[in-house]
Amino acid sequence: MTTSALMPVYPRCEVRPVRGDGCHLIGEKGERYLDFASGIAVNLLGHSHPHLIGAIQRQAATLMHVSNLYGSPQQEHLAQRLVDLTFADMVFFTNSGAEAVECAIKTARRFHHVTGNPHRHKLICFSNAFHGRTLGTISATNQEKMRDGFEPLLPGFTVVDFNDLTAAEAAIDEATAGFLVEPIQGEGGIRPATQEFLSGLRALCDKHGLMLILDEVQCGVARTGTLYAHEQYGVTPDIMATAKGIGGGFPLGACLATAHAGQGMTFGTHGSTYGGNPLAMAAGEAVLDVVTEESFLPNVRAMGERLRGALEQMIPNHDHLFESVRGKGLMLGIKMKTDSRAFVSYLRGHGLLTVAAGDNVVRVLPPLIINEAHISEFVEKLSAAARDYEVLA
Ligand SMILES: *Cc1c(COP(=O)(O)O)cnc(C)c1O
């Protein structure tokens, strides 16, 4: 272990990337890794994508940052594109996922405040959820490891079991503002909401005048084969948080809302110094240029099916290690019968980058530009590693 001046909140491993090349990363000593982690679902165009590089370089040389005190043609343009592509009518740009969720929470509370129900401030959230690391967002999960030692947390959150519609309904009272839910839980272990659950939450919101807030920070921006995952459920949110992939590696997030849901977010109610600066907007535009190309989403779906099929075929050969594959598109999880963290760490030694998640799941989150050769490389190396791992175990 080298000593460093960093706050030691991460168990930094031996992978120390210094350069990226498409779907691969290159370490300090020149070693190559196949990157099926994508900076945790961020680098959806892989590394060193020419269109993203060009856009950022041009914008950096033109105008990097101005204050939100000034008019922003760059934000207006990207916001309009997002509105045209989604359910939303308005957008607030942030620098991260947690800030996008914070804005979503504030938007929901303000909605009830300005429509004569200021007592409706409470959000119903779900077990094993992950919404970020701010005080507000750790208050919206029951994950002990994120909350321990940070009490008192914010009031106004209730946690019930994920995918339990009866529990969600039973938790509604006169103080309820809405639901905050990931359509597919990421950190919690690639757990998709059931159709019945997500449709049921929408129906409960319609019946009780509540806000449905979707956290698509991880599952959004083409990751599951549609621009946003909720499209596959035929469920429309009132408010949505998006981030991770939306900047392709540049820190960018956004809170999207319908005009109805966003009506409380008036002049002076929210803000951000950096949020939506011209450099970030250029990155967001470049990502949207690529993911809205006609062949992009069909390719994500095709590669998702290929990868899933290949993993499912591999499982019986190592069935005391792997249990099943779950997820949608290129947001996949391999459920393990042993500790997934130890195995993910072992894979790094075999030149493969994946991410551990809750419930002993190995998250497989490749760049969305992968082709069949990357899938073959991944599955071959994974099989070889699984074979050696079994010998060791
Ligand atoms: C990563 C993540 C967040 C937090 O995003 P940050 O950019 O780390 O603040 C919130 N929600 C979900 C579902 C995430 O996966």
Side-chain angles (χ1 to χ4, degrees), residues 275-357:
N277 82 16
L279 193 54
M281 296 300 92
E285 294 273 3
V287 168
L288 271 195
D289 290 343
V290 179
V291 303
T292 56
E293 279 169 15
E294 213 172 306
S295 60
F296 194 85
L297 287 170
N299 190 60
V300 172
R301 290 193 286 269
M303 290 304 115
E305 274 164 36
R306 255 326 143 94
L307 179 55
R308 190 192 191 104
L311 292 173
E312 276 167 354
Q313 245 182 355
M314 180 203 72
I315 283 183
N317 303 332
H318 311 281
D319 60 357
H320 62 284
L321 210 50
F322 305 132
E323 195 171 294
S324 56
V325 183
R326 59 204 201 193
K328 288 185 197 291
L330 288 172
M331 183 177 185
L332 296 175
I334 307 171
K335 165 85 174 149
M336 296 202 60
K337 293 179 176 169
T338 62
D339 179 32
S340 69
R341 252 156 247 285
F343 187 65
V344 163
S345 152
Y346 184 77
L347 287 180
R348 290 181 192 130
H350 280 67
L352 280 190
L353 303 183
T354 55
V355 199

Side-chain angles (χ1 to χ4, degrees), residues 40 95-99 101 130-133 182 184 186-187 215-219 243-244 363:
I40 317 188
N95 313 290
S96 68
E99 288 169 288
V101 176
F130 181 72
H131 299 296
R133 297 293 201 143
E182 297 158 83
I184 302 174
E187 299 289 323
D215 180 348
E216 291 226 21
V217 169
Q218 192 160 151
C219 62
K244 289 205 164 87
R363 265 182 287 180

